[in-house]
Amino acid sequence: MISFSLTEEQLALQEMAREFAEKEMIPNAAKYDKGDQFSEDVMKKAFEVGFLTCTIPEKYGGGEMNDLDTVVISEELAAGCAGMYTTMMVNALAYTPVILFGTDEQKKKFLTPQTEKMSFASFCLTEREAGSDAGALKTRAKKIGKEYIINGSKCFISNGGLASFYVVFANSNPEKGMRGLSAFIVPREAPGVIIGKEEDKMGHRASNTVEMTFEDVKIPETNLLGKEGIGFIIAMKTLDKTRAPVGAAGVGVARAALEYAIEYAKNRKQFGKPIALFQNTLFKIAQMAMEINAARHLVWHAAWLMDEGKPCGKESAMAKAFGSDVAMKVTIECVQILGGYGYMKDYPMEKLMRDAKLLQIYEGTNEIQRLVISREVIGPIV
Ligand SMILES: Cc1cc2nc3c(=O)[nH]c(=O)nc-3n(C[C@H](O)[C@H](O)[C@H](O)COP(=O)(O)OP(=O)(O)OC[C@H]3O[C@@H](n4cnc5c(N)ncnc54)[C@H](O)[C@@H]3O)c2cc1C
């Protein structure tokens, strides 16, 4: 049975997220974009309504949203401000390995406090020499007695300057290559955790992105997630779950751009009539509306598969790549519909275009998504 309708609860959630975006995010989006600062006042409110901890199971104090709920709110929040959305949803990215692979003790110790006061967490995979090739990372974890000692540096870490814990991927058995990777929970207060410089970014400027160094950081063996050697699997299973929300963010950014461009085109007159009446504008709008709808369907399908516990690697990759490509394409087109005004910072369109770009890059570039998709579609060759 196919159903495209949301439940009453999901509709209420969607409405709540849309209102939050309209009241709290949109009015503050330009300010935080210009200032390149952490939107603390908005995040306090986001914490109060549960968006910062929405995926944490109820048992540990969170909202226990399922995957469809998460993509529904992701679209709305990213339509408000993609940078603030990233701050919120990177928490979900960092919590996912703990939710999927953590013990009850680890969840109580690390997730519950996040639900008690506004807190953040980070997912530390990427390194200078290991971006798309995540298996090649150089951070090392050496076991001595009942402790691990972690050494290495990570780059482009979202929420790194704000986090109270980090999920750090390190190789604990380098001779095994990718099979030597493990994932560890590293508390911020552990000696040797060094927060580096904040990156100056094109878009998502309201989100915090830093370099992180781990210098002889000692953590107890109880902070290992799952078991040694499954770090790569933990990273991939996490990204399978978090890619559809990135696609949903693409839908949100594209929808915000299209809605603005439609209003603009109805009001902007050239040659004595609204530019919306030119067939060129109408066809562009129709094309964008089709692509946004198609992206949303891919995103919802991937989320539904996840909620059903069915394999979803290919569909999550499709949702992420298609949703973010649509965001890029639509925002470029909408800047064009606004003409010169689209290029000006007094209008929201150029920010939407800058914000769309990151969605094609983080959580695995869209080229890597296409590798995932093609491997599954084509299967083994000879
Ligand atoms: C603002 C921002 C926030 C981020 N937040 C986080 C975070 O919180 N945690 C984290 O761990 N990481 C984070 N990242 C890192 C992000 O996931 C990586 O930037 C991304 O995976 C790409 O890695 P790279 O930048 O090293 O590019 P590279 O891997 O060097 O890729 C460069 C280009 O080559 C292409 N390419 C590479 N390999 C292949 C291939 N096999 N086939 C075809 N094309 C290929 C890529 O698609 C890309 O176009 C963030 C990045 C940014 C910019």
Side-chain angles (χ1 to χ4, degrees), residues 90 93 123-128 130-133 155-159 201 204 207 209 358 361-368 371:
V90 164
L93 172 67
F123 177 87
C124 301
L125 180 65
T126 306
E127 298 179 3
R128 291 273 163 212
S132 300
D133 187 8
C155 66
F156 305 151
I157 301 306
S158 303
N159 289 357
K201 306 190 293 295
H204 293 236
S207 82
T209 315
L358 181 59
I361 295 171
Y362 70 6
E363 302 213 18
T365 66
N366 283 3
E367 289 75 22
I368 296 304
L371 277 183

